[in-house]
């Protein structure tokens, strides 16, 4: 009987704690609050980004709230296993410089925006003493298979659900290249490794130069379902 009373009391205390946490904690710690791209990320951010995949209206609302400019694209098939669904063409010259005109799924844009604001720019400030002026890339959409293979699985690029980042142009004119600077023991190399690792907490899958030679010159980011970080 005494054990039951103890278990019951603990259960009451635990549920009271959970209630108080959900009721009074800031939104970034509330799993039911919508993703706020501007807010400092928490341990829930990756989960909130992944949940946007099943909730296009919440996803576009998050882009709107963050003031990201885009032109929504109608859903359409462009080939076997290729096409656009809940995608938009980025038009943002300020928040995501260098990505103008790129078609991407909404969750990709949201993850990219969180990464740019909370990982990329702070790393550039602390390690290179400047800001990133432009994200250099090899594109987002391509109707093709994984690794450009003649057969096999379609790439996440076939659904505009991926982006290949080749490097960065900095505000002071310097350029950081994945191909040239990944193995660099100085600040540029440290910067690349830091933003690569941070990307693993934002995107579903991340591949870089350590994964294979096909990725020697870029970081591959996607919002597919594998959860790989290499
Ligand atoms: Zn890629």
């Amino acid at each position: 009987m005494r054990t039951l009373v103890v278990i019951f009391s603990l259960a009451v205390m635990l549920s009271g704690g959970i209630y108080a946490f959900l009721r009074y904690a800031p939104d970034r710690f509330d799993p039911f609050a919508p993703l706020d791209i501007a807010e400092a990320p928490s341990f829930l951010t990756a989960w909130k980004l992944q949940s946007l995949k099943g909730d296009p209206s919440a996803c576009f609302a998050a882009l709107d709230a963050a003031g990201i400019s885009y032109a929504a694209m109608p859903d359409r098939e462009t080939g076997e296993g290729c096409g656009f669904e809940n995608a938009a063409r980025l038009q943002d010259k300020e928040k995501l410089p260098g990505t103008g005109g790129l078609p991407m799924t909404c969750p990709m844009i949201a993850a990219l925006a969180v990464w740019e604001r909370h990982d990329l720019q702070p790393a550039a400030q602390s390690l290179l003493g400047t800001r990133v002026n432009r994200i250099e890339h090899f594109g987002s959409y391509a109707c093709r298979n994984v690794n450009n293979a003649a057969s096999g699985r379609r790439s996440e690029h076939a659904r505009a659900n991926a982006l290949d980042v080749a490097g960065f142009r900095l505000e002071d004119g310097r350029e950081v290249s994945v191909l040239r600077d990944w193995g660099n023991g100085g600040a540029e190399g440290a910067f690349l490794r830091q933003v690569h690792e941070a990307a693993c907490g934002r995107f579903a899958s991340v591949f870089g130069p350590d994964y294979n030679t096909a990725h020697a010159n870029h970081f591959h980011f996607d919002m597919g379902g594998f959860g790989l970080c290499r």
Side-chain angles (χ1 to χ4, degrees):
M1 187 64 196
R2 231 166 112 180
T3 321
L4 274 179
V5 170
V6 169
I7 290 171
F8 179 74
S9 312
L10 284 175
V12 167
M13 279 158 66
L14 185 67
S15 49
I18 292 170
Y19 173 79
F21 181 77
L22 292 177
R23 176 78 177 75
Y24 299 108
D27 279 356
R28 66 199 179 100
F29 296 121
D30 177 355
F32 302 107
L35 172 80
D36 181 348
I37 289 170
E39 207 163 49
S42 75
F43 63 96
L44 287 169
T45 305
W47 180 77
K48 286 190 183 190
L49 281 167
Q50 293 298 316
S51 328
L52 294 178
K53 290 200 273 191
D55 196 345
S57 57
C59 186
F60 284 109
L63 300 189
D64 294 339
I68 293 167
S69 328
Y70 61 87
M73 297 170 73
D75 292 355
R76 67 186 176 100
E77 292 291 311
T78 53
E80 203 185 319
C82 298
F84 304 103
E85 208 180 326
N86 303 317
R89 216 172 265 286
L90 266 171
Q91 295 177 322
D92 209 304
K93 293 193 176 65
E94 277 169 35
K95 297 195 181 66
L96 296 167
T99 62
L102 272 181
M104 270 186 280
T105 59
C106 182
M108 262 306 289
I109 298 174
L112 188 67
V114 169
W115 175 76
E116 189 270 352
R117 181 176 183 131
H118 301 289
D119 305 317
L120 182 69
Q121 296 295 2
Q125 290 284 8
S126 70
L127 292 166
L128 304 170
T130 185
R131 284 179 61 81
V132 169
N133 231 353
R134 197 179 157 83
I135 298 169
E136 306 285 1
H137 63 79
F138 293 147
S140 54
Y141 167 75
C143 184
R144 64 169 175 82
N145 294 332
V146 170
N147 293 328
N148 281 309
S151 60
R153 203 159 45 79
R154 281 297 196 206
S155 162
E156 289 296 321
H157 287 285
R159 296 241 159 235
N161 202 25
L163 177 68
D164 290 338
V165 171
F168 309 94
R169 187 188 296 263
L170 308 177
E171 211 161 68
D172 62 11
R174 273 183 292 167
E175 283 183 39
V176 181
S177 140
V178 172
L179 179 64
R180 189 190 58 212
D181 298 315
W182 179 254
N184 168 337
E188 287 82 3
F191 164 74
L192 286 177
R193 288 186 293 277
Q194 184 167 320
V195 300
H196 170 273
E197 192 180 328
C200 295
R202 312 296 180 217
F203 299 93
S205 296
V206 171
F207 300 124
D210 288 347
Y211 177 52
N212 61 16
T213 50
H215 295 83
N217 63 353
H218 69 276
F219 297 152
H220 166 98
F221 299 155
D222 76 56
M223 285 302 264
F226 291 92
L228 296 174
C229 170
R230 303 271 164 83

